[in-house]
Amino acid sequence: MPSPLPPPKTVQRLLIWHQGALGDLLLAGPALLAISRHYPQARLVGVGHPERWGLFSETLPLEAIWDGAGALWAGLFLEQGPLSPALKERLASIQLALVFTPRPNPVFLDRLAQGGISRVAWLPSFPETEPVAVGLLQARHLAELGITKAIQPFRLGIEDSSGKEDLPAMPPGPYVAVAPGSGYPCKNWPLAHYYELTRALAWQYKAGVIWLVGPAETGWLPYLQGIAAAQGHYLLVNRPLMQLAGVLARCRLYVGGDSGLTHLAAAAGARAVLALFGPTDPAVWAPQGENVTVLTGPGQCLPCAQARDISCPAPRCLEDLSPPQVFKAAGALMRDS
């Protein structure tokens, strides 16, 4: 059993290390809120990807966000040798560090303590073996550390102005956002299926369709630009995450796969989120919330992914999830939301 964390009154500055992908960080949202509520007087420092951490600026009492990819942190990964004076100075005023990684790294944790932090604890950023939801796994570890405050459904705080600059030229709605890509091609519903779905939703519900495209989907741009021009759809390419959160918060429906943007849609408060899952296990990876509906492809082998490793060469399960099936589910959400 890990030793208890320091009492709340003794922690004025708390470092949280989380360098995970967008979806991983958002799945940790309930744990981050629980930590903040357990230490209400503490000023939080988030270390990781600055833009992703910036999404929490209206949700957590963040005093600072530090880039976890900076050279300053290199000494924490070395077993021997002195830590740099600059790093020690950076850590000097921190009483507690909580480190989210897939597995504990004793060297890294010990080196943080050598930097002057009196208590350092590890938390899993996601499960490596057991099929348990990320939020439940983290809640279990927090309880072992003495943080037992109830974890509420997680929502990002979004500034009222966020995303509005993208919407004035669009009709008054309703808006349907789709994000066809992800970091793994085998997690993507076929692009032709998305085209058929969006055309039907726009026709049936007079919806303004917004395509969300990131760096991984650059090769699709000529095709998507043609769709947007021909169908009167809207294309947002490589937009800042905070801007996308503001757009998603104004959508009646979002449709996407197992991706960071699907988690962002759920956390930003899209009225309905339809998450399309294939090889990966939605019991582990799906966003949580009453606004989330999960639809899985057909197949006896689902889920086939082992943690993050997807072995199937082609996602037949997603290819066989037909546009009429998804349209039926999406239509029900459009009517109910």
Side-chain angles (χ1 to χ4, degrees):
M1 179 73 68
S3 60
L5 297 179
K9 291 184 178 180
T10 66
V11 177
Q12 290 78 47
R13 212 154 181 251
L14 193 161
L15 182 146
I16 302 177
W17 180 284
H18 197 310
Q19 291 211 86
L22 174 60
D24 297 335
L25 184 59
L26 291 171
L27 280 173
L32 299 178
L33 280 178
I35 292 165
S36 176
R37 290 169 183 166
H38 187 79
Y39 290 99
Q41 301 178 43
R43 296 165 293 161
L44 303 187
V45 176
V47 184
H49 189 285
E51 186 185 14
R52 295 167 195 158
W53 267 102
L55 290 167
F56 291 84
S57 60
E58 299 292 318
T59 309
L60 298 174
L62 285 171
E63 178 193 73
I65 296 171
W66 296 340
D67 188 351
L72 178 70
W73 310 102
L76 296 175
F77 298 90
L78 303 175
E79 292 190 29
Q80 297 180 345
L83 296 175
S84 71
L87 179 56
K88 286 187 173 182
E89 181 180 358
R90 178 72 65 93
L91 302 178
S93 62
I94 294 170
Q95 293 82 38
L96 171 63
L98 298 174
V99 177
F100 287 81
T101 53
R103 66 188 71 84
N105 182 337
V107 170
F108 182 84
L109 300 176
D110 288 346
R111 295 287 272 177
L112 274 174
Q114 292 172 28
I117 303 176
S118 58
R119 180 71 174 96
V120 179
W122 170 79
L123 290 160
S125 53
F126 57 80
E128 286 208 297
T129 54
E130 58 179 322
V132 58
V134 173
L136 291 176
L137 177 68
Q138 292 173 348
R140 189 169 71 201
H141 281 260
L142 286 173
E144 292 175 352
L145 292 170
I147 299 179
T148 56
K149 288 184 178 292
I151 298 179
Q152 302 298 321
F154 176 68
R155 285 288 183 275
L156 285 171
I158 306 295
E159 294 181 3
D160 287 341
S161 60
S162 295
K164 282 187 176 179
E165 59 271 31
D166 287 303
L167 299 180
M170 297 175 62
Y175 301 131
V176 174
V178 294
S182 72
Y184 297 84
C186 280
K187 297 194 297 183
N188 298 341
W189 198 44
L191 192 57
H193 288 5
Y194 274 106
Y195 169 62
E196 188 173 339
L197 173 71
T198 54
R199 186 174 59 174
L201 288 171
W203 175 262
Q204 182 73 26
Y205 298 99
K206 305 299 184 282
V209 175
I210 308 169
W211 293 81
L212 307 180
V213 181
E217 294 80 55
T218 302
W220 294 349
L221 267 181
Y223 178 69
L224 293 176
Q225 287 166 342
I227 290 177
Q231 300 294 324
H233 297 173
Y234 302 87
L235 191 61
L236 301 183
V237 181
N238 295 333
R239 298 301 179 93
L241 291 177
M242 186 62 78
Q243 194 178 87
L244 290 179
V247 169
L248 290 166
R250 292 169 172 81
C251 289
R252 181 180 293 187
L253 175 67
Y254 165 92
V255 184
D258 178 10
S259 70
L261 285 184
T262 298
H263 288 279
L264 183 58
R271 285 168 65 178
V273 172
L274 183 56
L276 310 179
F277 270 73
T280 52
D281 190 348
V284 176
W285 300 107
Q288 303 298 304
E290 294 182 354
N291 63 332
V292 177
T293 298
V294 174
L295 194 60
T296 57
Q300 299 266 334
C301 58
L302 299 180
C304 64
Q306 298 296 319
R308 298 221 142 159
D309 298 324
I310 303 174
S311 57
C312 66
R316 283 296 305 274
C317 53
L318 287 170
E319 292 171 4
D320 292 342
L321 181 61
S322 70
Q325 288 176 283
V326 178
F327 177 75
K328 181 179 178 180
L333 294 173
M334 289 289 288
R335 293 189 296 271
D336 294 342
S337 62

